[in-house]
Amino acid sequence: KQEVTQIPAALSVPEGENLVLNCSFTDSAIYNLQWFRQDPGKGLTSLLLIQSSQREQTSGRLNASLDKSSGRSTLYIAASQPGDSATYLCAVEGGSEKLVFGKGTKLTVNP
Amino acid sequence: EAGVAQSPRYKIIEKRQSVAFWCNPISGHATLYWYQQILGQGPKLLIQFQNNGVVDDSQLPKDRFSAERLKGVDSTLKIQPAKLEDSAVYLCASRGGTGRTGELFFGEGSRLTVL
C-alpha cells in the first residue's frame, strides 16, 4: 500500500527566502507525481506534474524534482513571497489512475 | 474555461440525517473523482468514474455512501445516514486526456459538518 509522507508539517520563513519542501513515498512504482497548492477553504490547484520518466519540472519560481528510485520529491520555491502562504500537497499516482496524497506542508511566508 | 463546479459549499446536518453533494466537471473530462479531506489530512479517494462507469470505489463506505454519474457528466455523492466522523470537505476533481498524462482539476469543495 502506497504511503506518502511530507516533511515538515509546517514551515515559517521570512519573505525572500528560498525554501524546500519534501515528499517521500514508499512504492517507487509510480506513473507520476503532482504538487498541489491549497488555500484555506479552497480546493486544490495543480502546480507541477512530473511524469515518472522525468527528473524535474519548472514553473516560474517553482521547481520540482523527482527521484523515483529513492522514493523522493522536492519542491523548491525561490524568493518566497507572502502570497505563497498556503498548504502544499504532494500526490503520487500508481495503478488505476489513483492519486495518493500526503498530509501536506503548511507554509507561512512572513512580510 | 469553466472550472469544476460543486454545490452546496457548506452543509450542516445532524447525525443520522442524509445529505447530497453535486459536481459538474470540466466539459469533456471523462474521469471524475470524489475525495474526502478531513481537517489536517490529505484528500482520500472515495470513488473514481470513467465516463459513467466506476473504476475504483474500494474506499467508499458503501453501507452509507453512494455515488452516481449519470450520462457521464454530472455526479452526485450521497451520505445516508451521516455519522459524526463524516465531517469533512468533499472534493470533486476531473481529468481530461487519456491515461495518466493530464492534470487533475479540483472544485472548491463541499464542507460538511455533522452535529
Side-chain angles (χ1 to χ4, degrees):
Chain A
K1 178 185 172 185
Q2 178 74 269
E3 292 184 2
V4 179
T5 303
Q6 291 189 245
I7 295 173
L11 181 63
S12 181
V13 300
E15 182 177 2
E17 192 161 298
N18 302 324
L19 58 100
V20 174
L21 306 181
N22 296 292
C23 171
S24 62
F25 46 95
T26 54
D27 185 350
S28 61
I30 65 169
Y31 287 94
N32 61 51
L33 181 146
Q34 294 188 54
W35 283 94
F36 293 87
R37 168 184 173 139
Q38 187 172 33
D39 292 287
K42 301 289 187 180
L44 281 67
T45 301
S46 179
L47 297 173
L48 290 164
L49 168 66
I50 310 176
Q51 301 293 343
S52 61
S53 58
Q54 298 174 321
R55 296 284 293 183
E56 64 179 331
Q57 282 285 343
T58 298
S59 176
R61 295 182 294 107
L62 305 180
N63 175 276
S65 67
L66 173 63
D67 184 343
K68 205 172 78 161
S69 61
S70 68
R72 294 181 182 179
S73 175
T74 61
L75 178 67
Y76 175 84
I77 302 177
S80 59
Q81 303 170 358
D84 295 330
S85 298
T87 296
Y88 290 81
L89 292 148
C90 163
V92 297
E93 182 170 6
S96 75
E97 301 185 42
K98 176 179 170 179
L99 265 70
V100 178
F101 284 82
K103 293 182 179 181
T105 294
K106 184 176 181 180
L107 173 66
T108 303
V109 181
N110 302 299
Chain B
E1 180 182 74
V4 177
Q6 290 189 248
S7 68
R9 288 294 316 279
Y10 305 93
K11 189 75 176 179
I12 301 174
I13 61 173
E14 301 207 343
K15 59 183 180 183
R16 291 187 289 274
Q17 287 187 323
S18 63
V19 63
F21 301 114
W22 173 82
C23 172
N24 183 234
I26 292 173
S27 178
H29 279 193
T31 307
L32 184 148
Y33 307 80
W34 282 102
Y35 283 87
Q36 179 192 58
Q37 186 176 25
I38 294 172
L39 187 64
Q41 305 285 319
K44 181 186 85 171
L45 179 68
L46 292 175
I47 190 166
Q48 175 187 338
F49 292 95
Q50 181 77 18
N51 296 309
N52 61 349
V54 176
V55 174
D56 186 341
D57 63 356
S58 57
Q59 297 188 94
L60 186 74
K62 297 181 185 65
D63 58 334
R64 297 183 301 106
F65 286 64
S66 64
E68 61 182 10
R69 191 183 184 197
L70 300 176
K71 301 179 182 178
V73 181
D74 294 8
S75 178
T76 302
L77 176 71
K78 295 180 182 177
I79 308 174
Q80 182 179 15
K83 292 186 175 181
L84 296 177
E85 59 260 37
D86 298 332
S87 294
V89 177
Y90 292 86
L91 296 163
C92 179
S94 70
R95 173 185 242 173
T98 56
R100 300 174 179 81
T101 57
E103 295 178 22
L104 262 69
F105 293 87
F106 281 82
E108 296 211 328
S110 294
R111 182 177 297 274
L112 173 66
T113 302
V114 182
L115 302 176

